[in-house]
Amino acid sequence: MSILASWLASPPLEAALEISPAAVSVAVLGGRSSNAVVQGYAVEPLPPGAVTPSLTATNIADPDSVARALSAACQSLGLKPKRVALVIPDVAAKVSLVKFEQTPSRRDDLNQLIRWQVKKATPFPVDDACLTYTPGARSASGSEFVVVVARRETVREYEGVCEQVGIEAGLVDISTFGVINLFLSSNLGTGGDWLVVHMRPEYTSIAILRREDMLFFRNRAEGDAEALEDVVHQTAMYYQDRLEGRGFSRILLGGIGRLQGEVDLARRNLEARMGTVVEPIDPTRGAALTDRIHATPELMATLSPLVGMLLRTRREAA
């Protein structure tokens, strides 16, 4: 069972694309699910200020520039997709984990209960939002749900630039959930408890999973006064004290930093602080690259959420 949220269920999609403040990125997979191959990718830069991810404000100030970049990326791949998996920034949505001692048997009652629960912590009217949830961990004390909520207007901004070039967003998800799905869909990280640290220039997201169930999710804005290794260490202490943690089977870190070398520095600092090996987030664990694609750290960071999204759609359709 996937922990990852979508606003529209879909069969396997033709391509995945991510809209970030820096660029529009597109990737296409070939091969079978057990032997997937990245057939091609394209990255088109965006002008500064065209995209500014936010939970409560306008995200896409220059939709025409974003649409042109998307069109150019597809053209460079010789691609004319009708439906795609769309990746948006983590900070454009809010992730919550809610727990109930008793879960209503009727879906409508559960919907209302979850909306009421997240309403208190959501900085916009939940009635005007896109909200999705999926079952999480279960214990003797109750059942947990992973809930993702975003302003309907925000989702429409990202979908709208796709529609400008004739593309439908058949699946919408946040970037770090795409990364997590890379491991869930390829069975690479689902044993024991595992920690994911996903960096972007604007934020860093930290997630803890127990096999396939999400136990913890936190988003740290860029510019936070606390060092990342301190935040991760605090997260690990919370995991031990409150989540019955017995140690991580894997710690994974990857993404794109604001400065060159920032991800490598974060890895070294985390290894020193946590006293264990921190593995890179590597999309080739789930899909090989064709010979003509040269792997660089930047490309690996770009491909990880895209490959994860596409592997997810394949898994759900199987």
Side-chain angles (χ1 to χ4, degrees):
M1 181 179 296
S2 173
I3 65 159
L4 306 181
S6 67
W7 285 280
L8 293 172
S10 70
L13 300 173
E14 301 169 68
L17 70 93
E18 180 170 14
I19 299 174
S20 73
V24 172
S25 308
V26 181
V28 183
L29 283 189
R32 298 184 178 182
S33 295
S34 59
N35 192 26
V37 178
V38 179
Q39 289 186 324
Y41 75 94
V43 179
E44 287 290 331
L46 291 172
V51 176
T52 304
S54 171
L55 184 62
T56 58
T58 298
N59 279 231
I60 301 181
D62 189 354
D64 290 340
S65 291
V66 180
R68 284 194 296 269
L70 174 54
S71 180
C74 290
Q75 287 177 9
S76 70
L77 287 172
L79 185 68
K80 294 183 178 180
K82 295 299 183 183
R83 300 178 74 244
V84 300
L86 173 60
V87 180
I88 66 175
D90 292 6
V91 290
K94 179 177 175 60
V95 179
S96 301
L97 281 82
V98 298
K99 189 172 184 177
F100 305 118
E101 293 183 1
Q102 294 183 333
T103 302
S105 57
R106 295 180 65 250
R107 187 172 182 84
D108 286 347
D109 293 340
L110 179 59
N111 291 343
Q112 292 179 15
L113 185 60
I114 286 177
R115 284 183 174 271
W116 178 83
Q117 186 72 20
V118 301
K119 180 178 181 179
K120 297 176 288 185
T122 303
F124 48 80
V126 172
D127 292 340
D128 299 332
C130 292
L131 182 149
T132 184
Y133 60 87
T134 190
R138 295 188 178 187
S139 66
S141 60
S143 299
E144 202 162 53
F145 292 85
V146 181
V147 185
V148 182
V149 62
R151 292 192 314 143
R152 195 175 306 277
E153 294 88 345
T154 297
V155 178
R156 284 297 304 149
E157 288 182 62
Y158 289 94
E159 292 176 330
V161 294
C162 297
E163 293 169 1
Q164 281 188 240
V165 295
I167 296 174
E168 176 191 352
L171 176 72
V172 183
D173 216 334
I174 59 174
S175 185
T176 296
F177 279 9
V179 169
I180 292 171
N181 242 329
L182 171 68
F183 292 89
L184 290 179
S185 298
S186 50
N187 297 316
L188 293 173
T190 55
D193 295 350
W194 45 298
L195 173 70
V196 177
V197 181
H198 183 220
M199 299 176 66
R200 286 297 195 214
E202 303 79 25
Y203 60 86
T204 295
S205 291
I206 303 168
I208 297 174
L209 294 97
R210 179 160 292 157
R211 295 176 294 278
E212 294 195 358
D213 295 328
M214 180 174 284
L215 303 182
F216 177 92
F217 187 90
R218 174 179 176 178
N219 187 272
R220 170 186 177 270
E222 181 58 42
D224 192 309
E226 287 187 284
L228 177 60
E229 59 269 24
D230 293 335
V231 175
V232 174
H233 179 71
Q234 292 168 12
T235 300
M237 293 301 98
Y238 176 86
Y239 157 78
Q240 293 178 1
D241 296 340
R242 302 290 298 276
L243 302 178
E244 301 178 355
R246 298 180 179 179
F248 296 118
S249 61
R250 306 181 75 176
I251 299 178
L252 300 149
L253 179 143
I256 302 171
R258 185 175 53 176
L259 303 174
Q260 186 174 7
E262 191 171 4
V263 176
D264 287 338
L265 177 61
R267 180 175 295 108
R268 293 194 298 271
N269 289 342
L270 278 181
E271 288 182 336
R273 189 65 186 269
M274 303 294 288
T276 188
V277 173
V278 176
E279 301 176 52
I281 294 172
D282 183 356
T284 63
R285 297 288 193 93
L289 305 180
T290 62
D291 293 340
R292 58 188 174 81
I293 297 178
H294 177 60
T296 65
E298 294 76 15
L299 178 58
M300 297 298 95
T302 296
L303 289 178
S304 291
L306 300 176
V307 171
M309 288 284 278
L310 290 171
L311 291 176
R312 171 192 172 183
T313 67
R314 291 184 174 199
R315 183 175 71 162
E316 291 179 346

